[in-house]
Amino acid sequence: MAEVVFEHVSKRYADGFEALKALDLAVGDGEFLVLVGPSGCGKSTALRLVAGLEDLTTGVVRIGGRIVNALAPRERNIAMVFQSYALYPHLSVRDNIGFALRVRGTDRAEMRRRVEDVARILELEAHLDRKPAQLSGGQRQRVAMGRAIVRSPDAFLMDEPLSNLDAKLRVAMRAEVTKIQRLTGVTTIYVTHDQVEAMTMGDRVAVLDRGALQQLDTPRALYRHPANLFVAGFIGSPAMNFFECPLVVKDELLSFFVDGQQVVLGPTSNALTGYTGRTVIAGIRPEHFSVVPEGSQPGFRARVTLVEELGASLLVHLSMRKSGDIVIPAAEDGRTVRGNFEVLASLDGETRIAGGEAVTLGVAPERIHFFDPATGQAIYPPLG
């Protein structure tokens, strides 16, 4: 086991494309760190730089305190698990798991012991003499993990290892992978584009976009305190609703306007005070809405356009469109914002609501996030 450290690491290709930009990141000894972001954000590039499958342009990568920039992949004592299982179809499960040990010339008795120990951890004991074609997708993925575990590496590098599995099996396997990592205690860097996977598996999550680290924190902190608009919109499912709106003081209370409707936040003694008279971006997660009596504050009126039944919850699409152009009052910075807002709310499955119905959506003020429209950075703490 070992700490993995990126020190100002960049990767620039011959055509000038910069896949990774000055990444500074430390993965603790025994930590499960997830790199998450959209396609092309640099997460797989970062993994390949640790593995030695690509050369970095600038910076330093350390594994267990050693600078590994000039080391070949086989000298780095890391193990990779790929999206494709990459198993040898003509070899048994036993021989697939023990392949790396055989190449190293490990004693036969020692190799057998280690393979059987790994098979016990992965619940593959009954399948050791089978071929990969006789296994399910989940079992094949466990064999691929077993081949990595048996080497006793300093770090596991996992590149979207569950992507080829069906939805139900992915849920089961992400729990299995997490339990195996806890059991082995090996430092793990896990790459995924699936933010649900990232949030449920990682001790910490690093969110990347266009080659740059946007935020590094625990799953809970990313959800509750996103650093910027990108993180706020990427983390959370369904995605956060955003409203560009003026922030004003009215009747000694701080308010913002959505579709011409005043949403009262409370007294002005908070971090938002410096933004009064300006346009800000308000963010509200779908699950933080509730249907409240008309006239409740904070809240605003909207009309239901579609209801999706999900059993335990309802995914409700709403519109605040009115006939003609809706122009929200101009802020002091001279910006005006037109209406026609679409809203997504996730409500309790027992809520009685139907398409075409007009409702008042309520939200607790402390659940509302605010962002500077010029920089995209979060305004914290927004209230209190």
Side-chain angles (χ1 to χ4, degrees):
M1 294 181 290
E3 183 183 44
V4 178
V5 179
F6 298 81
E7 295 179 1
H8 217 63
V9 172
S10 297
K11 173 63 179 179
R12 186 180 298 104
Y13 292 97
D15 62 2
F17 176 71
E18 195 168 20
L20 210 59
K21 303 173 183 176
L23 177 63
D24 287 307
L25 180 64
V27 187
D29 188 357
E31 182 178 16
F32 194 129
L33 181 95
V34 178
L35 301 179
V36 68
S39 297
C41 71
K43 55 189 186 294
S44 290
T45 299
L47 205 70
R48 292 171 66 83
L49 292 177
V50 176
L53 300 179
E54 293 192 31
D55 295 324
L56 52 78
T57 305
T58 61
V60 169
V61 173
R62 298 178 187 270
I63 301 176
R66 288 191 307 163
I67 296 177
V68 298
N69 293 27
L71 296 183
R74 66 179 179 274
E75 299 174 302
R76 299 189 182 201
N77 196 29
I78 53 88
M80 288 197 73
V81 181
F82 298 95
Q83 179 177 344
S84 60
Y85 312 125
L87 302 179
Y88 297 106
H90 62 289
L91 297 181
S92 66
V93 168
R94 183 189 306 277
D95 291 337
N96 265 286
I97 293 175
F99 186 81
L101 299 181
R102 190 176 71 182
V103 170
R104 289 180 181 179
T106 304
D107 175 76
R108 187 180 295 272
E110 172 67 10
M111 182 168 67
R112 184 180 185 87
R113 182 190 67 77
R114 288 171 65 174
V115 168
E116 290 179 353
D117 284 347
V118 168
R120 192 175 304 112
I121 292 171
L122 297 172
E123 298 180 358
L124 290 170
E125 293 170 284
H127 308 292
L128 282 172
D129 296 318
R130 293 186 177 184
K131 300 289 177 62
Q134 298 172 295
L135 305 177
S136 69
Q139 289 167 339
R140 277 179 280 181
Q141 191 56 271
R142 276 186 277 161
V143 175
M145 291 189 63
R147 190 172 53 190
I149 293 170
V150 78
R151 297 174 54 189
S152 300
D154 287 332
F156 290 143
L157 307 180
M158 301 189 181
D159 193 0
E160 307 214 37
L162 308 184
S163 294
N164 288 340
L165 306 179
D166 62 58
K168 184 176 180 180
L169 188 53
R170 283 185 71 162
V171 172
M173 279 302 298
R174 73 188 186 212
E176 288 294 324
V177 171
T178 305
K179 284 191 288 186
I180 292 165
Q181 193 276 335
R182 299 287 187 270
L183 188 62
T184 60
V186 177
T187 305
T188 300
I189 305 177
Y190 186 104
V191 161
T192 181
H193 67 276
D194 185 337
Q195 58 93 16
V196 174
E197 219 168 79
M199 296 288 280
T200 54
M201 297 178 74
D203 296 322
R204 289 189 302 161
V205 178
V207 184
L208 284 82
D209 182 42
R210 290 173 291 184
L213 179 64
Q214 301 296 312
Q215 188 171 355
L216 171 65
D217 220 321
T218 64
R220 180 185 293 268
L222 287 175
Y223 178 82
R224 293 188 174 183
H225 305 293
N228 55 41
L229 280 168
F230 176 81
V231 176
F234 190 83
I235 297 296
S237 180
M240 183 181 288
N241 297 281
F242 293 111
F243 310 99
E244 195 173 9
C245 48
L247 195 65
V248 300
V249 175
K250 188 173 182 180
D251 300 327
E252 299 184 353
L253 295 174
L254 188 65
S255 306
F256 67 92
F257 283 87
V258 178
D259 191 28
Q261 302 178 60
Q262 182 185 8
V263 180
V264 177
L265 296 171
T268 59
S269 57
N270 53 63
L272 287 171
T273 302
Y275 287 83
T276 55
R278 297 167 57 187
T279 300
V280 296
I281 296 175
I284 303 175
R285 295 199 182 278
E287 58 271 27
H288 292 159
F289 281 120
S290 60
V291 176
V292 298
E294 185 174 357
S296 298
Q297 280 292 347
F300 46 83
R301 297 288 287 173
R303 188 169 298 278
V304 178
T305 58
L306 177 67
V307 178
E308 298 181 57
E309 296 269 2
L310 300 178
S313 63
L314 303 177
L315 198 57
V316 183
H317 300 252
L318 305 102
S319 173
M320 289 181 286
R321 291 193 178 117
K322 297 179 180 178
S323 58
D325 280 336
I326 308 300
V327 179
I328 297 172
E332 289 180 5
D333 58 12
R335 300 181 66 180
T336 61
V337 186
R338 295 199 175 273
N340 297 351
F341 292 105
E342 300 296 325
V343 185
L344 193 61
S346 180
L347 306 176
D348 185 272
E350 299 302 315
T351 304
R352 300 299 180 200
I353 196 168
E357 185 178 348
V359 298
T360 299
L361 291 176
V363 60
E366 62 272 15
R367 296 285 201 179
I368 305 174
H369 301 261
F370 291 93
F371 304 88
D372 187 312
T375 65
Q377 297 301 302
I379 304 167
Y380 281 124
L383 299 170

